[in-house]
Amino acid sequence: MDFDEIDRKLLQFLQEDAKQTTKELSYKLGLSVTAVYERIKKLENAKVVLKYVAILDKCKVDRNFVVLCHVKLIQHKKEYILQFEKEVMTLPEVTECFHISGDYDYILKICVRDIEDYRNFMLSKLTTLQHITSTHSSFIISEVKNTTAIVME
């Protein structure tokens, strides 16, 4: 999909704060409220804008122990991959899951209360999944950059 400069700015504004009204956006973009509404609908219908969410403060909801867990499967059989992906989707502690290349097959981003909570997660949930041969965990010391924004130039 081709985006003009107004679409790019609109997407930037929506990524910064999706609760802005069409009136506020129209003022920033120099367009009518109707024109902004129609552009947003066009972007939603084209599945450029997938959904609107609230981003929580991990500290305030007591889930600020963040772990990146590398997972290696026994084999790269299609059935093993599909089963693992289906099962990992049911784990609420896993906020992101990426199928990757390299020494491991997946990286999971896991948000829990503390190291004890992570240990319980590993013992009672992750290691019970079939076809996992090994895991490697890295604990986040500090968050240098965390954004959901995608820059469009």
Side-chain angles (χ1 to χ4, degrees):
M1 182 172 182
D2 288 327
F3 302 100
D4 63 18
E5 189 58 31
I6 293 173
D7 284 335
R8 286 187 195 89
K9 286 181 182 177
L10 176 56
L11 289 168
Q12 177 188 339
F13 293 144
L14 288 173
Q15 288 183 97
E16 290 169 3
D17 181 5
K19 285 188 74 174
Q20 296 177 80
T21 64
T22 51
K23 184 176 182 178
E24 291 169 320
L25 292 166
S26 71
Y27 177 76
K28 290 179 179 181
L29 295 168
L31 296 174
S32 71
V33 173
T34 303
V36 170
Y37 175 82
E38 288 173 356
R39 281 180 180 262
I40 291 171
K41 281 296 165 203
K42 177 186 78 170
L43 293 166
E44 290 171 347
N45 291 336
K47 304 291 187 212
V48 174
V49 175
L50 297 176
K51 61 183 173 178
Y52 300 93
V53 298
I55 298 173
L56 306 182
D57 182 325
K58 288 185 283 300
C59 293
K60 291 184 179 175
V61 296
D62 199 21
R63 295 294 180 277
N64 59 322
F65 191 78
V66 182
V67 182
L68 298 178
C69 181
H70 295 70
V71 176
K72 188 182 292 188
L73 299 183
I74 294 170
Q75 290 182 339
H76 296 119
K77 286 184 174 182
K78 182 178 179 179
E79 63 192 79
Y80 292 1
I81 290 170
L82 294 176
Q83 181 175 2
F84 174 80
E85 290 177 359
K86 181 181 176 186
E87 290 174 346
V88 84
M89 292 291 290
T90 68
L91 304 174
E93 296 87 350
V94 176
T95 60
E96 297 179 61
C97 175
F98 301 96
H99 192 181
I100 60 169
S101 64
D103 293 337
Y104 287 87
D105 300 310
Y106 291 91
I107 295 179
L108 309 179
K109 182 177 177 184
I110 301 162
C111 296
V112 291
R113 282 189 276 284
D114 52 30
I115 190 83
E116 182 66 24
D117 204 18
Y118 183 63
R119 181 178 187 278
N120 291 335
F121 168 79
M122 288 296 287
L123 293 175
S124 65
K125 294 184 180 182
L126 190 62
T127 58
T128 65
L129 301 184
Q130 295 180 12
H131 313 304
I132 293 177
T133 187
S134 66
T135 63
H136 174 84
S137 299
S138 299
F139 307 108
I140 303 298
I141 295 169
S142 70
E143 221 174 66
V144 177
K145 181 178 181 180
N146 182 347
T147 182
T148 59
I150 296 172
V151 177
M152 299 181 55
E153 295 179 2

